[in-house]
Amino acid sequence: MLDVLRSVIQEVNRAGDLNSVLNIIVERVKETMETDVCSVYLVDERDQRLVFMATRGFNQEAVGKVSLGPKEGLVGYVAERAEPLNLEDAQNHPRNILFAEIDEEPFHAFLGVPIIHHRKNLGVLVVQVKESRRFEDEEEAFLITLSAQLAGVIAHAEATGSLLLSDDHRPQARTFKGMQGAPGVASGTAIVSVPEAELHNVPYRRTNDIEGEIELFKAAIRATQQDISDIAKRLEDRLQPEELALFEAYLHMLDDTAISGEVISRIHEGEWAPSALKQVIGKHVANFEEMDDAYLRERGADVRDLGNRVLSNLQSKDTRPQHYPPGTILVSQELTPADLARVPRDRLAGFISIKGSGKSHVAILAEAMGVPTVMGVEDLPIELLDEKPLIIDGFEGVVITYPSEEQEQYYTRIAAEEAALVEGLEVTGDQPCHTIDGHRVRLWVNTGLMTDVARSLDRGAEGVGLYRTEVHFMMNNRFPTEEEQRVIYREHLQAFAPRPVTMRTLDIGGDKALSYFPISEANPFLGWRGIRVTLDHPEIFLAQVRAMIRANEGIDTELRIMLPMVSSTAEIDEAQRLIAQCYREIVEEGAQVEMPDVGVMIEVPAAVYQAKDIIKRVDFLSVGSNDLIQYMLAVDRNNAQVAELYQEFHPAVLHALNHVVKAAHAERKGIGICGEMAGNPSAAVLLMAMGFDVLSMTSTSLLMVKHALSHFEFSYARQMLKKVLDMDNAYLIKNYVDEEMRKAGLGNIVRSRRYS
Ligand code: PEP
Ligand code: MG
């Protein structure tokens, strides 16, 4: 059974357009299950009717013409209940109806299963047999498994179809749901970012320079042939002759009679070399993967590797600059910090990342840049998106392809309303933040990119609560030296002087990867992250801490060093020993420096419960709520699939935060929070009430939070907190706080789509 499933799914995956996908499904299912009929009905989004889309066994002429109401017939019944229906004799079922148009004779046995993708019912897959018999459990299980696996492919094929231009008209507007990345809306043109040497992510593109493209491709082939010959030579005395023969075979595959010839003929038809290569390699890989022999099947992976090598050479030889039109919306399979800097700022309108979620680090950076971003739009057919018109809505996490004129107008209005809201707040920029009843709240910023500095200072930041030093490491292609780091940190410290600046030691791992220091783990968020990495590599830690302390020489700034991802007191003791060593050495070298304050981030539940022991060892605490929430609620912050479960107002989270504030204050030490939660005005009211001394957020959120807190009474926020701590449901808490904000005259902020 598994073999059949695998081969049907492979065949379907290669099919491309929706009709071919559905026809393969009905053909293969009918044949495999030996039924008289197999049909697929798909839901038409416009009227929710179930359209007869493909069949084997019924009248082909009726395909696309016949449809059922959502509650009509047995097919409607399957869709309505979202459950399989296995009937020995469908004729006896009260919901059965006959359709003359599809030649439905009285078939007796009926098995229908829903096709569900991301909780959405896409349609129904049905098999029928003339005689009366009950489908076996095995058969039912097969159809359910197949339908579950095919749902994603069908959704993708549907979406792809909606992006294809037909001869006579522009495609209909289509909306794809992802999630909030960074607030703001934008209208523009998609430019797909092609990651290095990843053939499967290459988008389809046309070229006007056919000769140039062919020349480039031929040069890439020659370079790849050279690479292969070099490798074969190096391995000559270590490999068996039959293994060496494989290299010969690969060289042959690249010559004009095989892959090269096919790619060149596609380029002649006007296709860009990378996507021509992708198509040809895809076909050859599929040929191998269909083979019965397991050894030959695995050769498919070699061909894929070969294709990636050619692509890599193609990319390195192509020195033509990428054109970014005004209003570029950069689309990436998985947005990286390097992508954020790819497009000139005056051309950049937005970002889309197919993977990831609103709490992914890259989304936080995009928000800091003030660029509308949508994350986790998994159904978006990226390969067809290049140069297509788009609207993105970073508040709602929505992408619209080929937007209609009405949609353009609607979003232009939203953008104007948002701009007016933010403009109205600018005036409060340089005042310190006090509540109506005089309670002082310190609002600091999180930084990482150099562009954050000017934005933060413009908006009246009183300090830096989190400088994500890893961003600089991620943009590099090797570890920066101590001196290189010192220069950058000094620039940062000088820019903010005399305000306090909290520099976090290198926090890599999880979703923060360094290309030159790969960490490969099955479970990276529970793996080698943050302080765990740097304590295992004291040479990296020491160089960084030395750079921080030296950077502050002669500047009137309060430098604070902060340790990420701490889960035990032993880690703190070890880190402090190393920090003290750095300080001693620098003083011995003759520099006039101060010993910085040292603090710890509370990001894992263990640190919450040991807050008392931790605070005794250090000068301050800062809650990293982005990670703390993911670890407390067991919700991967990077996974779009579970993003709904990531709840800042979860009672367990609020109790944990309240507990750590008390622990820090019991020792008369300061405590801040630097996760995204601090930048949400409704959450900020509760955090202030808990007693956080510092709320640190992206500069984008600063004015909104300042406005909210300075229109609120601290004493009332305390009463609200008391109530909230007795509540047991995140949704109720959020609704209650939002309602109180409205009552306080902050409806415009709650209503702002930013915090929906
Ligand atoms: C956090 O986890 O809340 C935090 C501020 O750190 P980061 O988002 O960089 O992991
Ligand atoms: Mg963190």
Side-chain angles (χ1 to χ4, degrees):
M1 209 49 119
L2 208 54
D3 273 355
V4 180
L5 267 175
R6 184 173 57 79
S7 99
V8 177
I9 284 156
Q10 266 176 8
E11 214 177 307
V12 165
N13 267 325
R14 276 198 307 281
D17 69 284
L18 183 62
N19 276 342
S20 319
V21 164
L22 300 180
N23 278 309
I24 293 169
I25 294 174
V26 289
E27 176 91 37
R28 296 292 312 270
V29 171
K30 177 174 180 289
E31 168 195 296
T32 311
M33 295 183 69
E34 297 179 354
T35 60
D36 295 317
V37 178
C38 177
S39 315
V40 175
Y41 300 76
L42 291 188
V43 175
D44 184 333
E45 291 265 313
R46 289 163 299 188
D47 54 9
Q48 297 303 306
R49 290 183 71 80
L50 286 150
V51 184
F52 183 58
M53 290 294 290
T55 188
R56 288 294 177 274
F58 281 149
N59 181 8
Q60 293 287 346
E61 300 281 307
V63 165
K65 296 184 190 133
V66 174
S67 67
L68 295 98
K71 300 208 165 181
E72 239 180 317
L74 292 174
V75 173
Y77 193 51
V78 174
E80 186 187 333
R81 296 191 322 151
E83 270 184 274
L85 184 65
N86 186 349
L87 300 174
E88 185 174 336
D89 190 355
Q91 303 305 318
N92 295 335
H93 196 282
R95 291 285 292 260
N96 189 44
I97 44 174
L98 279 184
F99 274 95
E101 300 94 317
I102 59 174
D103 291 346
E104 212 178 351
E105 310 163 31
F107 282 75
H108 292 279
F110 173 102
L111 171 61
V113 298
I115 306 168
I116 296 177
H117 179 59
H118 290 320
R119 297 191 183 190
K120 191 167 144 204
N121 203 342
L122 302 182
V124 179
L125 174 60
V126 180
V127 286
Q128 286 167 272
V129 175
K130 282 207 172 97
E131 80 262 20
S132 265
R133 76 165 173 91
R134 199 182 150 76
F135 284 96
E136 307 275 328
D137 286 353
E138 279 264 308
E139 293 174 299
E140 189 176 320
F142 171 75
L143 208 60
I144 292 171
T145 314
L146 193 70
S147 167
Q149 292 214 30
L150 290 175
V153 189
I154 293 174
H156 189 78
E158 264 193 314
T160 305
S162 70
L163 277 185
L164 292 174
L165 289 164
S166 66
D167 291 342
D168 47 353
H169 58 82
R170 151 190 169 116
Q172 295 267 322
R174 177 156 181 147
T175 301
F176 294 86
K177 185 82 187 94
M179 63 195 58
Q180 299 178 347
V185 299
S187 166
T189 306
I191 295 294
V192 175
S193 152
V194 189
E196 276 174 29
E198 276 187 35
L199 209 49
H200 66 279
N201 282 332
V202 166
Y204 178 81
R205 218 175 256 176
R206 306 287 299 167
T207 179
N208 293 325
D209 178 16
I210 291 181
E211 287 317 312
E213 209 67 19
I214 291 179
E215 217 167 279
L216 199 65
F217 176 70
K218 284 186 172 166
I221 288 288
R222 282 195 298 276
T224 313
Q225 285 168 327
Q226 190 61 52
D227 292 346
I228 294 173
S229 305
D230 291 348
I231 298 171
K233 217 171 265 146
R234 272 205 307 278
L235 298 177
E236 212 165 24
D237 44 358
R238 276 183 270 162
L239 295 182
Q240 300 296 326
E242 57 281 14
E243 289 164 332
L244 278 172
L246 270 180
F247 288 94
E248 274 306 306
Y250 297 147
L251 285 174
H252 280 311
M253 287 193 76
L254 288 178
D255 70 23
D256 283 354
T257 55
I259 289 175
S260 289
E262 292 172 50
V263 173
I264 288 172
S265 76
R266 289 189 78 107
I267 300 176
H268 272 301
E269 285 163 20
E271 190 170 349
W272 185 48
S275 62
L277 176 70
K278 171 182 166 175
Q279 300 303 335
V280 171
I281 292 288
K283 192 186 86 188
H284 285 271
V285 170
N287 289 343
F288 276 104
E289 285 180 344
E290 260 165 40
M291 294 183 181
D292 289 332
D293 181 290
Y295 175 79
L296 288 176
R297 240 187 355 249
E298 276 166 24
R299 302 285 63 79
D302 297 349
V303 177
R304 199 175 291 120
D305 180 53
L306 201 60
N308 280 330
R309 275 176 188 274
V310 179
L311 178 68
S312 162
N313 282 316
L314 205 49
Q315 287 170 328
S316 65
K317 294 200 177 306
D318 190 354
T319 50
R320 294 170 297 186
Q322 160 80 48
H323 170 64
Y324 294 110
T328 291
I329 296 176
L330 193 74
V331 188
S332 183
Q333 192 59 245
E334 193 159 14
L335 207 57
T336 64
D339 284 328
L340 301 186
R342 209 176 290 285
V343 185
R345 191 63 185 86
D346 58 340
R347 303 261 158 145
L348 179 66
F351 294 118
I352 299 175
S353 183
I354 306 295
K355 295 200 178 131
S357 85
K359 294 293 180 290
S360 301
H361 284 95
V362 71
I364 294 171
L365 294 177
E367 175 167 351
M369 286 170 70
V371 179
T373 301
V374 177
M375 303 287 294
V377 213
E378 292 187 344
D379 290 333
L380 197 66
I382 186 171
E383 66 281 8
L384 287 179
L385 220 55
D386 209 39
E387 297 182 349
K388 304 283 190 292
L390 296 181
I391 283 178
I392 61 169
D393 178 345
F395 302 113
E396 299 283 323
V398 161
V399 175
I400 303 173
T401 52
Y402 287 102
S404 65
E405 221 164 273
E406 295 77 45
Q407 285 169 320
E408 290 279 6
Q409 283 164 4
Y410 172 75
Y411 280 100
T412 307
R413 219 173 45 240
I414 298 269
E417 278 170 18
E418 264 298 305
L421 177 62
V422 174
E423 224 163 86
L425 304 174
E426 301 278 310
V427 281
T428 55
D430 50 4
Q431 312 292 326
C433 181
H434 287 104
T435 58
I436 298 176
D437 46 351
H439 179 76
R440 170 94 165 90
V441 192
R442 281 174 179 75
L443 301 184
W444 293 8
V445 279
N446 298 342
T447 57
L449 302 162
M450 218 43 214
T451 54
D452 291 335
V453 176
R455 275 169 69 83
S456 304
L457 292 170
D458 271 0
R459 294 175 169 218
E462 299 174 70
V464 175
L466 164 64
Y467 172 32
R468 288 187 167 94
T469 58
E470 60 276 5
V471 177
H472 174 232
F473 283 67
M474 289 162 86
M475 304 268 206
N476 239 310
N477 50 18
R478 57 167 174 76
F479 279 110
T481 62
E482 177 184 323
E483 181 54 16
E484 284 167 340
Q485 291 181 63
R486 187 193 68 82
V487 170
I488 292 202
Y489 300 159
R490 190 168 177 82
E491 228 178 298
H492 221 81
L493 290 162
Q494 271 172 330
F496 282 96
R499 303 167 183 82
V501 172
T502 314
M503 294 199 166
R504 175 168 75 183
T505 60
L506 186 65
D507 185 22
I508 52 168
D511 67 339
K512 289 186 276 195
L514 300 181
S515 56
Y516 48 93
F517 189 69
I519 300 175
S520 172
E521 293 171 315
N523 224 337
F525 276 111
L526 297 184
W528 207 38
R529 279 198 71 185
I531 192 87
R532 300 171 185 182
V533 178
T534 45
L535 287 184
D536 285 350
H537 278 279
E539 77 287 11
I540 296 174
F541 187 80
L542 289 167
Q544 185 175 39
V545 171
R546 280 182 55 93
M548 289 174 179
I549 298 176
R550 286 180 51 221
N552 204 30
E553 187 177 5
I555 304 180
D556 185 20
T557 299
E558 182 194 334
L559 166 67
R560 299 156 31 111
I561 294 183
M562 183 160 80
L563 309 172
M565 275 299 293
V566 167
S567 57
S568 75
T569 51
E571 287 166 337
I572 304 170
D573 296 343
E574 177 64 5
Q576 280 190 318
R577 189 182 65 73
L578 295 172
I579 295 172
Q581 175 186 328
C582 290
Y583 175 68
R584 239 186 0 260
E585 284 169 9
I586 295 171
V587 170
E588 278 164 20
E589 286 159 17
Q592 300 281 318
V593 290
E594 300 270 320
M595 175 67 186
D597 275 359
V598 176
V600 160
M601 290 188 77
I602 303 291
E603 299 190 276
V604 299
V608 171
Y609 288 104
Q610 276 207 289
K612 196 162 135 247
D613 307 313
I614 293 175
I615 191 63
K616 286 191 173 135
R617 290 172 154 79
V618 291
D619 302 303
F620 66 94
L621 297 182
S622 181
V623 175
S625 54
N626 303 335
D627 276 312
L628 184 60
I629 295 173
Q630 88 161 336
Y631 293 123
M632 287 200 67
L633 304 185
V635 176
D636 178 350
R637 64 191 268 187
N638 220 19
N639 183 344
Q641 193 89 7
V642 289
E644 292 249 326
L645 300 174
Y646 187 100
Q647 294 166 332
E648 291 172 344
F649 292 93
H650 194 292
V653 171
L654 298 178
H655 281 281
L657 297 177
N658 200 40
H659 170 79
V660 286
V661 174
K662 284 193 173 139
H665 287 172
E667 292 296 318
R668 301 187 184 286
K669 304 250 175 96
I671 178 162
I673 175 165
C674 58
E676 290 304 285
M677 191 174 174
N680 176 346
S682 300
V685 167
L686 294 182
L687 297 171
M688 167 183 79
M690 286 176 194
F692 276 100
D693 304 293
V694 171
L695 306 186
S696 189
M697 62 204 74
T698 60
S699 56
T700 310
S701 310
L702 199 68
L703 295 178
M704 205 75 88
V705 170
K706 186 180 266 190
H707 179 80
L709 297 186
S710 47
H711 286 80
F712 223 85
E713 273 189 36
F714 178 66
S715 56
Y716 193 66
R718 294 279 304 166
Q719 288 172 33
M720 280 168 60
L721 177 68
K722 200 158 171 290
K723 262 199 196 150
V724 159
L725 291 176
D726 279 336
M727 292 164 80
D728 63 2
N729 177 309
Y731 296 103
L732 296 182
I733 295 175
K734 179 169 179 348
N735 285 344
Y736 165 69
V737 180
D738 284 351
E739 190 47 40
E740 292 298 337
M741 300 279 285
R742 275 187 210 100
K743 282 196 215 153
L746 295 165
N748 57 342
I749 288 184
V750 176
R751 214 174 35 247
S752 158
R753 296 150 54 87
R754 194 176 287 260
Y755 304 105
S756 54

